[in-house]
Structure formats: structure tokens, C-alpha cells
Amino acid sequence: MENDVRALREAKGLTQAQLGEAVGVSRQSINSIEKGRYDPSLPLAIAIARYFEKAVEEIFHVRPAREPQHTGRGRQAQ
């Protein structure tokens, strides 16, 4: 899942630690979310969205699924 947490945080002039404290998680958790290594739980995603006064969908974006590629042999490569 991709997200805009870093851009929103930086626009408000916050550190990762400050945002983490505001939503009840560690700086490391915010870092992992920003880098896409960790997808937040629904309650945490809602807390982050409420903090920035946005809808969850405005911050967190599902990556589009990859289209299967045709091999030209009647089968689809994965």
C-alpha cells in the first residue's frame, strides 16, 4: 500500500516522533509506514487520517494489481 503520510507530516512541520506521539505509536512505526514496510491497522489508519483531517482513502492508496502478461502460447505468465 502506498501512502502520503510523509508529505502530510512534513507539510505540518512535524517529526516522525511528534506524529507518532499524536497517534499513539512509536517514531519507528511512523517511519515504517512512510517507507511502505508496514501497513497500519485500520484503527491506526483512521487515527492518522483524523489527525490530518482527511479520509483514509486520501492518505492510503492500494497499488494497482499487475496485469497478467501473455506469453503468446495460450498461457499467461505470472
Side-chain angles (χ1 to χ4, degrees):
M1 180 179 329
E2 297 174 353
N3 67 74
D4 300 326
V5 173
R6 182 177 183 172
L8 292 166
R9 176 182 60 76
E10 289 177 345
K12 284 199 172 256
L14 298 170
T15 65
Q16 291 175 339
Q18 289 169 322
L19 177 57
E21 185 175 329
V23 298
V25 298
S26 68
R27 176 201 63 78
Q28 292 88 344
S29 292
I30 298 298
N31 180 272
S32 291
I33 291 167
E34 289 181 356
K35 293 190 178 288
R37 291 191 306 251
Y38 169 69
D39 290 336
S41 64
L42 184 57
L44 179 53
I46 291 169
I48 291 169
R50 285 184 178 162
Y51 182 84
F52 289 114
E53 299 179 340
K54 296 197 175 278
V56 171
E57 305 85 34
E58 292 178 272
I59 299 174
F60 298 95
H61 319 279
V62 177
R63 291 184 192 111
R66 286 182 34 193
E67 299 257 343
Q69 298 176 359
H70 289 281
T71 63
R73 297 189 178 122
R75 292 184 165 178
Q76 294 179 345
Q78 296 296 323

